[in-house]
Amino acid sequence: MREKKAKFGLGIGIGVVAIFLIGGLIVYSFLSSPEVKLANGLQNLLNEDRVQVESEFDLSYDFDFDEVLSDPYIGEMDEFAFNLVEELFNSLSGTSSIIYDKELDVMEVSGTYGISGDISGEDISLHIPISMYFSGEEDVMAIDLDPYAQFIPDAIDVISYNILPNIEEVQEELELITDGEDVGDFFSRELNDLLEPTIDSLLTGKQFSDTLDLDRDRLFTQLEDNERYVLEFVFEKMIEYLDQQNEQEMITEEDGWIYVNLDDQLLLQSILYAFEEAKEDEDVLEALEEEIDTSVDTAISNIEEFQEDISGEITFDFNIGFLIERGQIVQSVTTSTFSFEEDGVSFTGSSTVNSDYLYGDQAAFSFYDADRDELSEADMEQYFYDLEMQIESRLDDIYADLFEDMYYDEEFDWEAEWDEDYELDWDYDESYYDEYYDYELTEEELELIESIESQSVSHEDFDVSEEEMYYWVLDLEIEGFVEFGTADYYYPE
């Protein structure tokens, strides 16, 4: 009897062990599946207090403007602009860094975006910087202006040497004011000499800030129970749908990497599946409709309508690989292709993004803690006004020199220093200018010109500043409406 009991007890023990072993294997299989690993990795990423994602990316586009360019009303400049976009934005590459700190309530975005292309046989390469941060606690958005102190001169050289000389429509006009000098050399020198002092004082070591105007107190808020409940349900059902389609290998695992293959239709279908599943549970349905602020049926109808609208016009698919170690995403690789077509414009593209993830103390701000002087909106307006005046003054000088060469005796000594007591006997032929401009001056306009030439009016009569008055008279002088030298009488003290 004891032997039977012993055998019976041993049988129960083996059975229990077997059940636990089988159950453990099932649980392990479930917890180690790529779907669950991915879900846990993404959830841990969202729960981290401080994360930095550093990426390198390459994007390439293939534009097709043929249908638009076949329009007989498209001008040469329009055609050049389309070709410029097609050639200049054919390839983009660069780096980016996104870091957020939930405790400080700060997010920083920085990077460089390289534009390269071929314009009329000339290679273009330009790296556009970006550096900014958002602070919920301070309710401020700040833009780092320091990187642009070097970028603007580089951009001027690209425009001067690679773009302006290739605009045939304006080439002859440009050559007029360069007096035979190379167009690129002329504009690079003139613009950089003019802008460099202003750029240095305006941008170097400066930042521009503005209020963020948040609708809530913080950038990063803890998810409410209802929000978390809904997000977890929807995400779980989307993964479930993709798992059901796994004969197409939507989610796979290889050498520790978990890969997700999706296209636009599968993504929308997985969302529709999650919403349909929500209708089977009253609690989930109520919570979901509270979050989306409409009925699930309406949401489903909107998604299906959107799905139908983009069909044939927009397509995309992407493959995302995640390397997950100890429950944390440490690397990701994303490759994607996409296409778009509408109103005679179409383009296709592809991209590759390689990212590293840093957590906690490994994540470091580059701009948020930097020492920068604050530049107000009023400061920027004043700087840009001064810059505008300088540009207008230099252009007026250039066109004044051109005007002298065209309309005055070459033997006249224009290099001599202007003597304000010297009166130039200038024969003003009103009929010539009436014919030249195909415009007949009214009596009031003639009286105005006479009053300006006789200095019987001032800037106060027109409610403008001295500088504005001077440049206005200089324009009239260049156009030939007032005698040469009249603007000198209105030069600001």
Side-chain angles (χ1 to χ4, degrees), residues 108-155:
E108 179 184 279
V109 180
S110 60
T112 59
Y113 297 84
I115 299 174
S116 60
D118 183 290
I119 299 178
S120 302
E122 296 193 40
D123 290 330
I124 299 293
S125 181
L126 195 61
H127 295 274
I128 304 171
I130 181 172
S131 180
M132 62 178 64
Y133 73 78
F134 307 87
S135 172
E137 184 175 338
E138 300 172 16
D139 190 31
V140 68
M141 175 196 72
I143 301 174
D144 191 3
L145 301 177
D146 193 70
Y148 295 98
Q150 180 57 46
F151 167 72
I152 291 178
D154 292 343

Side-chain angles (χ1 to χ4, degrees), residues 98 123 279 373 407:
I98 301 175
D123 290 330
K279 294 165 66 175
D373 294 329
Y407 293 104

Side-chain angles (χ1 to χ4, degrees), residues 5 23 34 37 65 86 113 119 157 169 235 248 250 257 264 312 347 364 366 389 398 422 427 431 455 465 467:
K5 285 184 178 179
K37 284 183 180 179
F65 297 123
E86 184 174 3
Y113 297 84
I119 299 178
D157 284 345
E169 192 175 46
F235 183 71
Q248 303 177 39
M250 296 293 101
W257 285 77
D264 52 301
F347 73 86
S366 60
M389 292 297 101
I398 293 172
Y422 180 83
D427 184 16
S431 62
Q455 299 96 53
S465 68
E467 290 85 357

Side-chain angles (χ1 to χ4, degrees), residues 191-202 383 390:
L191 289 176
N192 278 308
D193 287 351
L194 186 63
L195 296 179
E196 186 173 358
T198 301
I199 289 172
D200 286 339
S201 60
L202 176 64
Y383 273 117
Q390 293 176 47

Side-chain angles (χ1 to χ4, degrees), residues 461-481:
D461 296 309
F462 303 98
D463 194 25
V464 296
S465 68
E466 288 182 308
E467 290 85 357
E468 291 170 327
M469 180 72 180
Y470 167 71
Y471 287 115
W472 176 39
V473 177
L474 189 60
D475 286 338
L476 292 175
E477 182 180 305
I478 292 172
E479 298 294 339
F481 287 109

